[in-house]
PDB file of all heavy atoms in Angstrom:
ATOM      1  N   SER A  74      14.009  -7.841 -45.518  1.00 97.00           N
ATOM      2  CA  SER A  74      13.022  -6.780 -45.210  1.00 97.00           C
ATOM      3  C   SER A  74      11.655  -7.147 -45.731  1.00 97.00           C
ATOM      4  O   SER A  74      10.639  -6.819 -45.105  1.00 97.00           O
ATOM      5  CB  SER A  74      13.510  -5.445 -45.791  1.00 97.00           C
ATOM      6  OG  SER A  74      13.629  -5.514 -47.168  1.00 97.00           O
ATOM      7  N   LEU A  75      11.571  -7.828 -46.850  1.00 96.00           N
ATOM      8  CA  LEU A  75      10.280  -8.296 -47.382  1.00 96.00           C
ATOM      9  C   LEU A  75       9.640  -9.268 -46.376  1.00 96.00           C
ATOM     10  O   LEU A  75       8.437  -9.200 -46.132  1.00 96.00           O
ATOM     11  CB  LEU A  75      10.442  -8.949 -48.763  1.00 96.00           C
ATOM     12  CG  LEU A  75       9.166  -9.555 -49.361  1.00 96.00           C
ATOM     13  CD1 LEU A  75       8.130  -8.464 -49.623  1.00 96.00           C
ATOM     14  CD2 LEU A  75       9.513 -10.288 -50.645  1.00 96.00           C
ATOM     15  N   PHE A  76      10.455 -10.159 -45.799  1.00 96.00           N
ATOM     16  CA  PHE A  76       9.953 -11.086 -44.818  1.00 96.00           C
ATOM     17  C   PHE A  76       9.431 -10.340 -43.604  1.00 96.00           C
ATOM     18  O   PHE A  76       8.366 -10.668 -43.084  1.00 96.00           O
ATOM     19  CB  PHE A  76      11.053 -12.064 -44.404  1.00 96.00           C
ATOM     20  CG  PHE A  76      10.618 -12.999 -43.328  1.00 96.00           C
ATOM     21  CD1 PHE A  76       9.859 -14.107 -43.635  1.00 96.00           C
ATOM     22  CD2 PHE A  76      10.976 -12.806 -42.011  1.00 96.00           C
ATOM     23  CE1 PHE A  76       9.442 -15.007 -42.645  1.00 96.00           C
ATOM     24  CE2 PHE A  76      10.586 -13.668 -41.023  1.00 96.00           C
ATOM     25  CZ  PHE A  76       9.806 -14.777 -41.334  1.00 96.00           C
ATOM     26  N   VAL A  77      10.152  -9.314 -43.128  1.00 97.00           N
ATOM     27  CA  VAL A  77       9.710  -8.535 -41.957  1.00 97.00           C
ATOM     28  C   VAL A  77       8.390  -7.801 -42.252  1.00 97.00           C
ATOM     29  O   VAL A  77       7.499  -7.801 -41.416  1.00 97.00           O
ATOM     30  CB  VAL A  77      10.801  -7.554 -41.516  1.00 97.00           C
ATOM     31  CG1 VAL A  77      10.307  -6.596 -40.498  1.00 97.00           C
ATOM     32  CG2 VAL A  77      12.009  -8.325 -40.977  1.00 97.00           C
ATOM     33  N   VAL A  78       8.284  -7.243 -43.457  1.00 97.00           N
ATOM     34  CA  VAL A  78       7.027  -6.557 -43.799  1.00 97.00           C
ATOM     35  C   VAL A  78       5.882  -7.564 -43.874  1.00 97.00           C
ATOM     36  O   VAL A  78       4.770  -7.298 -43.421  1.00 97.00           O
ATOM     37  CB  VAL A  78       7.227  -5.776 -45.129  1.00 97.00           C
ATOM     38  CG1 VAL A  78       5.863  -5.304 -45.656  1.00 97.00           C
ATOM     39  CG2 VAL A  78       8.174  -4.612 -44.920  1.00 97.00           C
ATOM     40  N   ALA A  79       6.139  -8.718 -44.488  1.00 94.00           N
ATOM     41  CA  ALA A  79       5.092  -9.758 -44.575  1.00 94.00           C
ATOM     42  C   ALA A  79       4.720 -10.253 -43.198  1.00 94.00           C
ATOM     43  O   ALA A  79       3.527 -10.549 -42.922  1.00 94.00           O
ATOM     44  CB  ALA A  79       5.558 -10.908 -45.461  1.00 94.00           C
ATOM     45  N   LEU A  80       5.674 -10.381 -42.289  1.00 95.00           N
ATOM     46  CA  LEU A  80       5.385 -10.822 -40.918  1.00 95.00           C
ATOM     47  C   LEU A  80       4.518  -9.779 -40.218  1.00 95.00           C
ATOM     48  O   LEU A  80       3.542 -10.120 -39.523  1.00 95.00           O
ATOM     49  CB  LEU A  80       6.663 -11.087 -40.165  1.00 95.00           C
ATOM     50  CG  LEU A  80       6.535 -11.567 -38.739  1.00 95.00           C
ATOM     51  CD1 LEU A  80       5.807 -12.890 -38.692  1.00 95.00           C
ATOM     52  CD2 LEU A  80       7.913 -11.682 -38.097  1.00 95.00           C
ATOM     53  N   ALA A  81       4.857  -8.498 -40.369  1.00 95.00           N
ATOM     54  CA  ALA A  81       4.048  -7.449 -39.782  1.00 95.00           C
ATOM     55  C   ALA A  81       2.615  -7.457 -40.335  1.00 95.00           C
ATOM     56  O   ALA A  81       1.665  -7.307 -39.581  1.00 95.00           O
ATOM     57  CB  ALA A  81       4.681  -6.094 -40.024  1.00 95.00           C
ATOM     58  N   ALA A  82       2.498  -7.677 -41.628  1.00 94.00           N
ATOM     59  CA  ALA A  82       1.150  -7.727 -42.242  1.00 94.00           C
ATOM     60  C   ALA A  82       0.382  -8.934 -41.728  1.00 94.00           C
ATOM     61  O   ALA A  82      -0.823  -8.832 -41.452  1.00 94.00           O
ATOM     62  CB  ALA A  82       1.272  -7.799 -43.758  1.00 94.00           C
ATOM     63  N   ALA A  83       1.062 -10.078 -41.541  1.00 91.00           N
ATOM     64  CA  ALA A  83       0.361 -11.261 -41.003  1.00 91.00           C
ATOM     65  C   ALA A  83      -0.074 -11.017 -39.579  1.00 91.00           C
ATOM     66  O   ALA A  83      -1.168 -11.439 -39.169  1.00 91.00           O
ATOM     67  CB  ALA A  83       1.285 -12.495 -41.099  1.00 91.00           C
ATOM     68  N   LEU A  84       0.773 -10.376 -38.793  1.00 93.00           N
ATOM     69  CA  LEU A  84       0.374 -10.068 -37.429  1.00 93.00           C
ATOM     70  C   LEU A  84      -0.778  -9.093 -37.350  1.00 93.00           C
ATOM     71  O   LEU A  84      -1.685  -9.253 -36.528  1.00 93.00           O
ATOM     72  CB  LEU A  84       1.575  -9.526 -36.650  1.00 93.00           C
ATOM     73  CG  LEU A  84       2.691 -10.554 -36.356  1.00 93.00           C
ATOM     74  CD1 LEU A  84       3.914  -9.825 -35.760  1.00 93.00           C
ATOM     75  CD2 LEU A  84       2.211 -11.601 -35.409  1.00 93.00           C
ATOM     76  N   LEU A  85      -0.763  -8.104 -38.224  1.00 94.00           N
ATOM     77  CA  LEU A  85      -1.878  -7.156 -38.269  1.00 94.00           C
ATOM     78  C   LEU A  85      -3.185  -7.813 -38.762  1.00 94.00           C
ATOM     79  O   LEU A  85      -4.272  -7.387 -38.392  1.00 94.00           O
ATOM     80  CB  LEU A  85      -1.547  -5.950 -39.155  1.00 94.00           C
ATOM     81  CG  LEU A  85      -0.500  -5.015 -38.570  1.00 94.00           C
ATOM     82  CD1 LEU A  85      -0.135  -3.928 -39.633  1.00 94.00           C
ATOM     83  CD2 LEU A  85      -1.026  -4.314 -37.335  1.00 94.00           C
TER      84      LEU A  85
END
Side-chain angles (χ1 to χ4, degrees):
S74 61
L75 177 63
F76 178 79
V77 169
V78 169
L80 182 61
L84 289 171
L85 287 174

